[in-house]
Amino acid sequence: MALHNKILLGLLAGAVTGVIVNLTLGLTPTVEWIVRNVSEPLGRVWLNALIMVVIPLIISTLALGVAGLGSISKLGRIGLVTLASFVGLTTIAVVLGLLAVNIVRPGDGIDPGVRDRLMATYQGQATSSMGLAAGALGVNTFVNIVPRNPVAAAANGEMLAVIFFALMIGIALTTLRPDKAEPLLRFLDSLAHVTIAIIEMVMKFAPYAVFALIFSVTARFGFDLLLSLLWYMATVVGSLAVFLVLGYSVILRLVARRNPIDFFRKARIVMLTAFSTSSSNATLPTTLRVTEDELGVPPQIAGFVIPLGATMNMNGTALFEGITILFIAQVFGLSLSLGQQIIVVLMSVVTAIGVAGIPGGSIPLLMMVLAMVGLPVEGIAIVLGVDRLLDMCRTTVNVAGDMVTATIVDRFEGVPAPPVPLSAAAGPQS
Ligand code: ASP
């Protein structure tokens, strides 16, 4: 059986088992023990193994990609198309989200009693994100893109800084004499292959890990919450689905000149991984492999667009932010003016760049935007209980958006594969 089918099976089996346990036994101490000591750790080991290779993968593929482009002017053009696509897709996503939440108005039906109960239950989690929100986005975010110490940046998971360092290595390589550049190019090429070999091994365990991850979510989930937040969840998931299926298909067809059905067929293993892990970073290795091998995007472009996208391009997250901010306003009976809604659009686009590609990465930034438009920051507690389910859906849209951008850049700035300096350099030994 193909791997993506096995993963799908793991996902369904995990979801069904978790829901049955939840609805029949409830969250008894034994169930809680099993989730905390068995299923969650198993899932986390697998996630860790994927994230383990992200830094070497970003450094090797990005530096190689840029070096393979051969010149800074080519990099500049690709960079511009990439950023234009990121910003364009993210803006369309937020606007769609805002339209949906203004039409459905899911917050109007929430009873103040339910609101207060939700806030009391999830207050603790909200407070712990509050500290993160304070420093989430500011001048330092931009200053720290240029790391003083790249090793420290890598150790702290500061992806933008790692990306910057890798870009600089790639640019510098294009300026060197071939005999000086070749040893590092060979090393990076080998490193990229090693990380990909590790990922292939780790992905073999995906069906079991996905079972454990999804079981942990559904076994613990408060399904009663689902009812009170049903319209809110339907608005988020419905808009994400429309954007994923219709929005991306139109863009793929008209802008990237690709067949959407073929795209989604090839992208399904990436989308399943994103859905199960709720993490763009953990999905990055798979996204990169599929974009190159299945979608046929040249490594120079995929190696540049995909790592950047995993960090900067979060279409699904921006859509979710827009809906959630207006939903919280509706729950509190406050209405946002058109001007405030435009600020929501702008801030959702900007903050989506700063969101870390990890589960729940957007929550601190979302709290920041709430404060900016004058809404009660504690309101975030209302949605925290269902966030994991929404996170799974928005992360799927986030990574699909990275692949869509890679196909757009490929259409406008396509370069012939394979990377020029490496195939020549690695020839006789490989
Ligand atoms: N989990 C999302 C991602 O990794 C980020 C978020 O919206 O919380 O793409």
Side-chain angles (χ1 to χ4, degrees), residues 98-187:
L98 287 191
L99 277 178
V101 72
N102 276 308
I103 294 170
V104 181
R105 301 198 60 84
D108 289 352
I110 303 266
D111 180 273
V114 172
R115 177 190 77 192
D116 296 343
R117 254 206 331 278
L118 286 172
M119 285 182 58
T121 317
Y122 293 97
Q123 200 64 62
Q125 279 186 40
T127 320
S128 62
S129 298
M130 203 107 73
L132 292 171
L137 193 80
V139 180
N140 275 342
T141 315
F142 296 98
V143 171
N144 291 338
I145 289 178
V146 183
R148 286 164 84 112
N149 179 343
V151 179
N156 293 329
E158 292 164 23
M159 292 304 175
L160 287 177
V162 175
I163 285 172
F164 181 83
F165 184 59
L167 282 178
M168 292 306 287
I169 296 178
I171 293 173
L173 280 168
T174 64
T175 65
L176 294 184
R177 278 204 332 252
D179 61 316
K180 297 286 179 215
E182 201 173 286
L184 185 57
L185 284 171
R186 272 170 187 272
F187 171 77

Side-chain angles (χ1 to χ4, degrees), residues 194-215:
V194 168
T195 51
I196 288 167
I198 295 178
I199 293 152
E200 276 171 7
M201 288 188 271
V202 174
M203 283 304 285
K204 293 219 167 75
F205 295 93
Y208 313 101
V210 163
F211 177 94
L213 284 171
I214 303 294
F215 172 83

